[in-house]
């Protein structure tokens, strides 16, 4: 039996609620298929753990996670724990330690999903973001000097290494080439006169190896405008860590909302485990009420299946999400329905059994 060992970090807020549905759906795929199965190991890490122990994850947590084939994460962050601590000591340390330098975030308007963009054909909202995920604006380089003094000063450096830029840009070119899609780079070289000039240069350099890929390059401000006014321009998109973070929330907004936005943090070499998670946060405003939409997590589960070579199941899950959306009977309040988180999971399971 082909067993996939998955470390589950359900985390905070709605994290455990949506992860329960993701696990349910993955187990059902394995049950129906019969050719593979999952072994889930739960880690109780997150803000509650922090309040009890002063740590976001156990000591040696990274070494523990290294033993797994993948990580399935819900969300991290809770009132009472500073966000920069909860995120740096759990989510970001995992992305960095396991060199998950590709953050793959589809922005695709599924059949039945709502968009606030009037007069935009559904097919025009179909792109995938390749976000740099280990350095750039998130390098964590800087300092805080003379704290609390009149001459207080903070410095937050962007760190763009040649290796870091080349590998994410090359990955995006390969993806665009393999899918026969265009590739758009989003940067900001007019203002960020070192980092983004360098990024643009590398985009061009690597591009010489891919004459068959048609490319575009936009400044991030204009790109934000085009994502709303003319999203059909974008197919495969490559961008830096911070720009990718912001633009994929915008992407979520045009493609059904945060409840439908999925992401995969990949270490393409498979030297370390990759991590699959919805891109939304812990949503403290709706936590514990059964209102969270689990479909982003189910979509991330579909990315996990793809990554393990079960592409047929990855595609089937996406079909099931689309069918549930199009049917409109089992939808959470963010999509205008009254169903609970677990009823949406059940609806997916039901569709899986009718395939
Ligand atoms: P958020 O994504 O948690 O919530 C933004 C809005 O979207 C809220 O109104 C929320 O109710 C809604 N929403 C999000 N996911 C939803 C879902 N599945 N179904 C229905 N509605 C959903 O962002 P925020 O409020 O800025 O952050 C809350 C906390 O989460 C903070 O502590 C933040 O640092 C953290 N955060 C964590 C992650 C992560 O773990 N990957 C990502 C983003 C934010
Ligand atoms: C995301 C989140 C994280 C990020 C935060 C919580 C550190 O917003 O995954 O989009 O900025 O990468
Ligand atoms: Mn984000």
């Amino acid at each position: 039996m082909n067993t996939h060992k998955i470390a589950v970090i359900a985390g905070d807020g709605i994290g455990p609620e949506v992860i329960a549905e993701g696990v349910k759906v993955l187990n059902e795929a394995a049950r129906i298929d019969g050719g593979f199965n999952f072994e889930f190991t739960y880690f109780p890490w997150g803000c509650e753990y922090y309040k009890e122990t002063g740590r976001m994850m156990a000591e040696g947590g990274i070494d523990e996670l290294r033993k797994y084939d993948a990580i399935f994460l819900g969300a991290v962050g809770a009132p009472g724990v500073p966000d920069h601590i909860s995120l740096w000591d759990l989510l970001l340390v995992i992305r960095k330690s396991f060199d998950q330098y590709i953050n793959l975030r589809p922005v695709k308007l599924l059949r039945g999903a709502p968009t606030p963009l009037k007069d935009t054909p559904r097919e025009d909202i179909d792109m995938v973001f390749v976000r740099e995920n280990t350095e750039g604006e998130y390098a964590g380089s800087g300092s805080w000097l003379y704290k609390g003094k009149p001459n207080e000063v903070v410095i937050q450096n962007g760190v763009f290494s040649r290796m870091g830029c080349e590998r994410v840009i090359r990955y995006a070119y390969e993806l665009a080439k393999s899918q026969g899609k265009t590739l758009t780079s989003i940067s900001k070289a007019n203002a960020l006169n070192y980092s983004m000039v360098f990024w643009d240069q590398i985009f061009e350099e690597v591009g010489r190896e891919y004459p068959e890929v048609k490319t575009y390059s936009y400044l991030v401000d204009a790109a934000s405008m085009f994502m709303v006014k003319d999203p059909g321009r974008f197919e495969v998109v490559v961008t830096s860590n911070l720009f990718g973070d912001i633009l994929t929330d915008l992407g979520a907004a045009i493609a059904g909302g945060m409840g439908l936005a999925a992401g995969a943090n990949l270490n393409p070499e498979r030297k370390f485990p990759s991590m699959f998670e919805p891109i939304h946060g812990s949503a403290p405003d709706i936590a514990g009420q059964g209102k969270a939409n689990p479909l982003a997590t189910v979509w991330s589960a579909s990315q996990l299946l793809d990554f393990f070579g079960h592409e047929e199941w990855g595609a089937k899950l996406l079909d099931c999400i689309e069918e549930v959306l199009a049917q409109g009977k089992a939808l959470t309040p963010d999509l205008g329905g009254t169903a609970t988180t677990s009823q949406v999971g059940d609806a997916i399971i039901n569709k899986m059994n009718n395939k």
Side-chain angles (χ1 to χ4, degrees), residues 101 132 135-136 159-170 195 197-206 208-209:
Y101 62 89
E132 202 292 317
E135 55 169 37
V159 175
F160 290 75
S161 68
R162 174 167 283 279
M163 184 194 81
C165 295
E166 277 186 11
R167 63 186 185 176
V168 67
I169 287 172
R170 182 164 283 112
S195 57
V197 174
F198 185 60
W199 175 279
D200 284 359
Q201 182 191 314
I202 292 179
F203 184 66
E204 258 189 65
E205 273 175 30
V206 176
R208 284 187 216 120
E209 298 166 33

Side-chain angles (χ1 to χ4, degrees), residues 5-11 15-16 18-27 38-43 65 68-76 91 94 100 262-265 273-278 294-305 308 317:
K5 286 168 58 193
I6 312 289
V8 181
I9 305 173
V18 294
I19 278 290
E21 303 313 305
V23 167
K24 196 158 101 180
V25 160
L26 284 171
N27 275 331
F38 292 100
E39 219 175 83
F40 294 102
T41 306
Y42 288 77
F43 293 89
L65 291 175
Y68 292 84
D69 299 322
I71 302 160
F72 198 29
L73 183 135
V76 182
L91 182 74
I94 295 173
Q100 296 166 346
N265 305 272
S274 290
M275 176 163 66
F276 299 81
E277 51 158 351
L295 293 177
T297 307
V298 174
W299 195 334
S300 302
S302 142
Q303 290 182 299
L304 183 152
L305 287 160
F308 282 120
L317 267 197

Side-chain angles (χ1 to χ4, degrees), residues 8 12 20 23 26 34 40 75 82 96 120 123 172 177 183 189 191 197-198 224 265 278 287 331 341 350:
V8 181
D12 306 312
V23 167
L26 284 171
F40 294 102
K96 283 164 197 278
T120 302
E123 308 73 49
K177 181 179 159 184
L183 176 61
V197 174
F198 185 60
S224 317
N265 305 272
L331 300 178
T341 308
N350 186 272

Side-chain angles (χ1 to χ4, degrees), residues 12 14 18 47 73-79 81-84 86-87 91 95 105 245 249 257-261 277-287 291-297 332-335 341:
D12 306 312
I14 62 170
V18 294
C47 289
L73 183 135
V76 182
V81 181
D83 277 344
H84 66 278
S86 58
L87 275 310
L91 182 74
R95 288 181 185 165
R105 296 186 160 186
D245 174 48
D249 263 38
M258 294 309 286
L260 274 169
E277 51 158 351
I279 84 168
H280 61 70
S282 52
D285 53 339
I286 56 164
K291 285 185 184 163
N293 187 346
L295 293 177
T297 307
T332 40
D334 56 309
L335 294 176
T341 308

Side-chain angles (χ1 to χ4, degrees), residues 62 66 91-100 134 272:
I62 290 293
R66 204 187 300 273
L91 182 74
L92 295 179
V93 76
I94 295 173
R95 288 181 185 165
K96 283 164 197 278
S97 302
F98 293 147
D99 211 13
Q100 296 166 346
T134 53
F272 304 106

